[in-house]
Amino acid sequence: MHKKYIAGLPFLGGPPVFIYISRMEQQIVKRPFVLSGGGARGYAHLGVLKAFADRQIFPEAIAATSAGSIAAAFIADGYSTDEVREIFHRSKIGLSMEWRNWSTGVLSLKTVEKVLKQTLRHQNFEALQFPLYITATNFINGAQSVFDKGPLIPAILAASSIPILFTPVEMDGIPYVDGGLSGNLPLEPLLPLYKNIVGVHVNPIVPYNPAGGFLANVDRTLHMAIQEPVLKNKQLCSTFIEPQGLGRFGMFDFKKFDEIYDAGLQAAEETLRLSVG
């Protein structure tokens, strides 16, 4: 650990006592973060947060939706980025989606729910180490809904339930679906309370490729449809990171965890390097 001499002080009339303070402790900075959705590309959030942590910059609050809410929940629960990375590797959380049927949704998040229940130390918002705001979309009126109190896991599942693919998650009689539909860079919960927001968006729009295939076109269509609110909220971030290297990955590329993580890490490291000259 790097240390810095700050003073030689007399102690009870004796010789000076040399006092040292850790540079790491001196330089800890807290910033609010907003983490977008993006399916498998959400792994990049861990790489981004790792780069900031290496610079002793940690979240004071996080607003997140969809895939971003999963990473955010672990960090707010006190896990380090390295620990979350190990959990994701071990549990293969992105691959644990069970097939259902077309009447309600072809996939289920039951196994994801199981992993969250087994690994999260605290499962209520109030017990987390800092404020966490998770957004989902009210499937009745399309409005953005913010969850920051009560049970954590239902909010994560609601925020991650892409319509058609997943069954809506019902809470208090209201069905909720993926928060990206009502705002995939959900700054709104942070704006009244925090400044110097770090925005992380993991869905760069890449040049159109007519040979991209069905899933690539679904991915592109979805993110073009919800791009306008992202562009608006991007302007409200003091730091904005959108790793361009993620353009070669799809929402369902869960087997490419390490490559996606590295893309987030490298983009954030470059942003931080440029910010300090």
Side-chain angles (χ1 to χ4, degrees):
M1 180 180 293
H2 300 290
K3 293 184 177 181
K4 177 183 179 183
Y5 166 75
I6 59 169
L9 300 176
F11 181 68
L12 295 180
V17 176
F18 295 102
I19 300 176
Y20 295 85
I21 185 168
S22 160
R23 288 186 187 274
M24 291 175 64
E25 293 173 357
Q26 273 190 307
Q27 297 174 357
I28 287 178
V29 175
K30 296 294 183 73
R31 297 280 298 276
F33 284 75
V34 55
L35 308 181
S36 76
R41 291 189 294 261
Y43 290 148
H45 289 306
L46 290 180
V48 171
L49 292 170
K50 170 66 173 174
F52 276 84
D54 286 346
R55 295 289 189 103
Q56 297 302 300
I57 303 170
F58 299 95
E60 63 176 320
I62 297 180
T65 194
S66 199
S69 71
I70 299 175
F74 282 102
I75 299 300
D77 196 29
Y79 285 96
S80 69
T81 52
D82 290 339
E83 290 171 330
V84 183
R85 187 180 183 186
E86 173 59 28
I87 289 170
F88 281 18
H89 263 302
R90 186 174 66 249
S91 66
K92 294 181 172 57
I93 191 168
L95 296 173
S96 54
M97 298 174 179
E98 302 169 336
W99 286 96
R100 290 173 60 90
N101 60 72
W102 286 105
S103 63
T104 56
V106 297
L107 297 172
S108 167
L109 290 167
K110 283 295 183 183
T111 311
V112 174
E113 180 180 14
K114 180 180 178 181
V115 172
L116 294 173
K117 286 182 176 179
Q118 290 176 341
T119 53
L120 286 174
R121 299 169 181 138
H122 304 94
Q123 299 186 12
N124 284 283
F125 282 93
E126 292 85 350
L128 300 175
Q129 294 195 358
F130 54 76
L132 173 63
Y133 306 91
I134 292 178
T135 64
T137 302
N138 183 315
F139 206 34
I140 294 176
N141 59 21
Q144 182 185 79
S145 297
V146 180
F147 298 94
D148 62 352
K149 297 179 178 64
L152 175 59
I153 292 175
I156 297 172
L157 298 176
S160 305
S161 295
I162 302 171
I164 301 174
L165 293 181
F166 299 103
T167 305
V169 174
E170 189 167 305
M171 291 184 284
D172 297 325
I174 298 175
Y176 293 95
V177 294
D178 195 293
L181 295 179
S182 53
N184 205 28
L185 192 69
L187 269 80
E188 289 78 8
L190 299 177
L191 289 176
L193 303 171
Y194 301 95
K195 297 180 180 179
N196 299 319
I197 296 169
V198 179
V200 187
H201 184 250
V202 297
N203 308 290
I205 302 295
V206 298
Y208 174 61
N209 177 10
F214 175 75
L215 286 180
N217 285 331
V218 169
D219 190 323
R220 183 178 185 83
T221 300
L222 172 62
H223 286 102
M224 290 186 74
I226 62 177
Q227 185 181 26
E228 188 63 30
V230 171
L231 295 176
K232 173 186 173 184
N233 283 357
K234 170 184 175 180
Q235 303 305 316
L236 302 175
C237 296
S238 63
T239 301
F240 181 74
I241 298 173
E242 185 180 68
Q244 293 304 302
L246 295 176
R248 67 183 188 275
F249 303 109
M251 289 178 61
F252 305 101
D253 279 339
F254 293 108
K255 292 183 179 180
K256 298 179 179 178
F257 176 94
D258 288 322
E259 297 167 73
I260 293 171
Y261 173 93
D262 287 342
L265 178 68
Q266 292 164 13
E269 286 177 340
E270 179 66 9
T271 297
L272 289 165
R273 184 185 67 78
L274 294 174
S275 71
V276 296

